[in-house]
Amino acid sequence: MKKHIDLGCGSSPRNPFGAEKVYGIDIVKRDDLVEDNIFFEKSNLILESIPYENNTFDSVSAYDFFEHIPRVVVNNNETFFPFINLMNEIYRVLKHGGELYAITPIFPKESAFVDPTHVNFISKNTYKYFCEPDLWAKMYGYTGKFEIIRVQIVNFDYEVNQKNGLKKTIRSFLNFVYPKRKQHIVWHLKAIK
């Protein structure tokens, strides 16, 4: 049975891989999630680990979530890297070959800055810190290893609302014709263990 977890899910965990069991994590407690196949945990992933065992999930998603995770925090003269830690946690809970699908606003587009709670600005090359062959985040304590399936600058609405081949074709055409609508980046990565 395939298991999926959606990070920063709000009240509606997404399931882009069609898993049979869906888990959601958000910083706010959700008592309104009552569906039989959705399991919810409250957790602050800036400060806490993903509350599941190693190699639990076949897939992880993060829709408009990475931009809320600080890159650096200093507390009592101690420095730690919440975004690096989160990427370690995602890698930890994924099974070998498990997939991460993340979509986040891309720097320097307006969508990266418009929300005052955005504190992490992802550029077109940030993924290289977590993927082979670069793995540049190792110098900051990163222990994972991802392989690239797809990294692409996209229009959020067209990306997340695609359901069939025709819509995918229309989405590709509109992204080409209206490049200003491309304000997000997709990371579709595979965990290599």
Side-chain angles (χ1 to χ4, degrees):
M1 177 177 293
K2 300 258 183 190
K3 291 183 181 178
H4 175 78
I5 187 166
D6 188 34
L7 307 179
C9 66
S11 60
S12 301
R14 296 180 187 206
N15 183 11
F17 297 99
E20 293 90 1
K21 279 192 157 182
V22 179
Y23 296 74
I25 291 182
D26 202 273
I27 197 167
V28 176
K29 184 168 175 28
R30 301 287 182 191
D31 293 324
D32 53 341
L33 294 179
V34 294
E35 294 180 47
D36 289 339
N37 67 334
I38 296 178
F39 305 90
F40 182 81
E41 291 284 339
K42 178 185 179 295
S43 185
N44 182 345
L45 295 179
I46 296 169
L47 304 171
E48 300 169 343
S49 299
I50 296 175
Y52 294 98
E53 298 293 322
N54 296 353
N55 306 306
T56 298
F57 295 100
D58 299 284
S59 54
V60 173
S61 60
Y63 289 79
D64 277 338
F65 179 66
F66 284 175
E67 67 273 17
H68 298 279
I69 306 298
R71 288 182 176 223
V72 178
V73 171
V74 178
N75 187 17
N76 295 327
N77 291 327
E78 224 178 295
T79 301
F80 67 101
F81 305 102
F83 187 52
I84 301 288
N85 295 343
L86 176 64
M87 291 303 292
N88 277 334
E89 283 295 299
I90 291 169
Y91 180 79
R92 181 185 66 78
V93 301
L94 277 171
K95 296 175 181 175
H96 171 67
E99 296 181 35
L100 166 64
Y101 178 89
I103 184 166
T104 190
I106 187 167
F107 173 87
K109 299 295 185 175
E110 180 186 9
S111 61
F113 301 97
V114 70
D115 184 333
T117 66
H118 290 183
V119 294
N120 185 7
F121 304 110
I122 306 296
S123 78
K124 67 180 181 175
N125 290 314
T126 304
Y127 72 92
K128 292 180 179 182
Y129 279 77
F130 310 102
C131 295
E132 290 187 317
D134 302 298
L135 296 170
W136 295 336
K138 281 187 179 262
M139 70 179 122
Y140 304 113
Y142 176 63
T143 57
K145 187 188 312 183
F146 285 99
E147 177 182 288
I148 300 163
I149 297 173
R150 176 172 72 119
V151 174
Q152 184 179 4
I153 299 171
V154 299
N155 173 299
F156 182 89
D157 292 327
Y158 295 122
E159 176 69 22
V160 301
N161 293 321
Q162 69 174 331
K163 298 269 192 246
N164 60 43
L166 177 61
K167 285 187 180 180
K168 187 174 182 179
T169 302
I170 292 169
R171 178 197 65 174
S172 296
F173 173 75
L174 289 172
N175 278 338
F176 177 76
V177 173
Y178 300 108
K180 288 184 180 181
R181 292 178 160 197
K182 293 181 174 183
Q183 300 234 352
H184 285 69
I185 190 164
V186 166
W187 290 0
H188 186 182
L189 310 176
K190 183 192 303 185
I192 305 303
K193 298 190 174 191

